[in-house]
Amino acid sequence: AQKITQTQPGMFVQEKEAVTLDCTYDTSDPSYGLFWYKQPSSGEMIFLIYQGSYDQQNATEGRYSLNFQKARKSANLVISASQLGDSAMYFCAIEVTGGGNKLTFGTGTQLKVEL
Amino acid sequence: GAVVSQHPSRVICKSGTSVKIECRSLDFQATTMFWYRQFPKQSLMLMATSNEGSKATYEQGVEKDKFLINHASLTLSTLTVTSAHPEDSSFYICSEAGLAADTQYFGPGTRLTVL
């Protein structure tokens, strides 16, 4: 079974600053994918970024980057130049290749961007 | 990316009644869709995998006779909460897996309140 651990229930960051949201994972499967989703108060799940276990480079998508440290089994999300609209719940998730596309989510981190 | 819709977005019902939630793939033929449940301030938990033309696969601890899933076409999966009770009040969200490993698209969710 897979497990995702997000140890930060809540984080605060000032506008325009960068913030790192932690995510560690546990799986015995050698092939997997890691996802980050943003969930604003409306409830929709917004896909942010994906990292495959065999990807050599860290994934980046605009202001989002994923700090993938495979040996440490961590996949931290870095948001640069935070904006007020980034305030939301952020979930890390893992999908094991051959696992039927099922996602296992962490408990999430509530991010609050302040002026 | 694929567009997934859910209907209704919000429903309030009396205890003992049944509620049907629809999940539609608007621009993609999804042979597999997923149903998640999210209690307030908690993570998403996979309930079941909906397979087009065959029986759904339920996660451990999810009552298949209570949460009926029908995936009769490639664009529609339905979740029926039978004999709903207040403890079934939750946010129900569906998703579909895209063709590539790094894609999974979520619907906007349905907030169910059972009185």
Side-chain angles (χ1 to χ4, degrees):
Chain A
Q2 290 66 240
K3 187 177 179 182
I4 291 282
T5 302
Q6 292 181 257
T7 58
Q8 305 154 314
M11 288 283 285
F12 290 89
V13 65
Q14 283 204 311
E15 197 182 18
K16 300 178 186 175
E17 298 290 310
V19 63
T20 298
L21 306 183
D22 294 342
C23 171
T24 58
Y25 60 92
D26 189 24
T27 180
S28 57
D29 219 282
S31 181
Y32 50 88
L34 296 155
F35 296 76
W36 276 93
Y37 285 88
K38 171 184 177 181
Q39 187 181 44
S41 57
S42 60
E44 61 184 311
M45 294 291 283
I46 301 169
F47 168 75
L48 297 179
I49 197 165
Y50 169 87
Q51 179 84 43
S53 58
Y54 293 118
D55 293 344
Q56 294 295 313
Q57 294 192 326
N58 287 345
T60 60
E61 288 285 350
R63 294 187 298 112
Y64 305 107
S65 60
L66 202 151
N67 184 0
F68 182 46
Q69 298 188 45
K70 194 170 181 177
R72 299 177 66 179
K73 292 192 174 181
S74 76
N76 298 341
L77 176 71
V78 181
I79 305 174
S80 62
S82 297
Q83 302 171 357
L84 294 177
D86 294 333
S87 294
M89 195 72 169
Y90 287 79
F91 290 99
C92 180
I94 187 169
E95 172 190 287
V96 171
T97 305
N101 297 113
K102 297 179 186 180
L103 290 178
T104 300
F105 285 87
T107 50
T109 296
Q110 181 72 50
L111 176 66
K112 174 88 169 146
V113 181
E114 301 173 315
L115 289 169
Chain B
V3 178
V4 180
S5 71
Q6 275 184 248
H7 179 79
S9 58
R10 187 180 293 265
V11 58
I12 301 172
C13 69
K14 291 184 179 179
S15 187
T17 60
S18 294
V19 175
K20 180 186 283 188
I21 302 169
E22 293 185 348
C23 177
R24 288 185 184 273
S25 175
L26 298 181
D27 63 350
F28 181 74
Q29 291 186 329
T31 55
T32 302
M33 300 175 98
F34 303 93
W35 286 96
Y36 293 84
R37 178 169 55 183
Q38 184 181 30
F39 291 109
K41 299 193 183 302
Q42 293 190 25
S43 187
L44 278 74
M45 297 296 292
L46 180 66
M47 298 176 67
T49 303
S50 172
N51 304 299
E52 189 269 334
S54 64
K55 290 183 180 180
T57 306
Y58 290 82
E59 296 299 303
Q60 193 173 11
V62 178
E63 300 174 59
K64 62 180 181 181
D65 294 329
K66 180 169 180 64
F67 299 99
L68 301 179
I69 291 172
N70 185 284
H71 194 156
S73 77
L74 288 170
T75 59
L76 176 63
S77 175
T78 61
L79 168 69
T80 301
V81 183
T82 62
S83 188
H85 287 95
E87 57 265 31
D88 298 323
S89 298
S90 188
F91 190 61
Y92 293 86
I93 190 164
C94 68
S95 73
E96 66 177 27
L99 292 175
D102 61 347
T103 54
Q104 186 152 145
Y105 305 103
F106 284 84
T110 296
R111 197 164 301 279
L112 170 64
T113 302
V114 184
L115 301 176

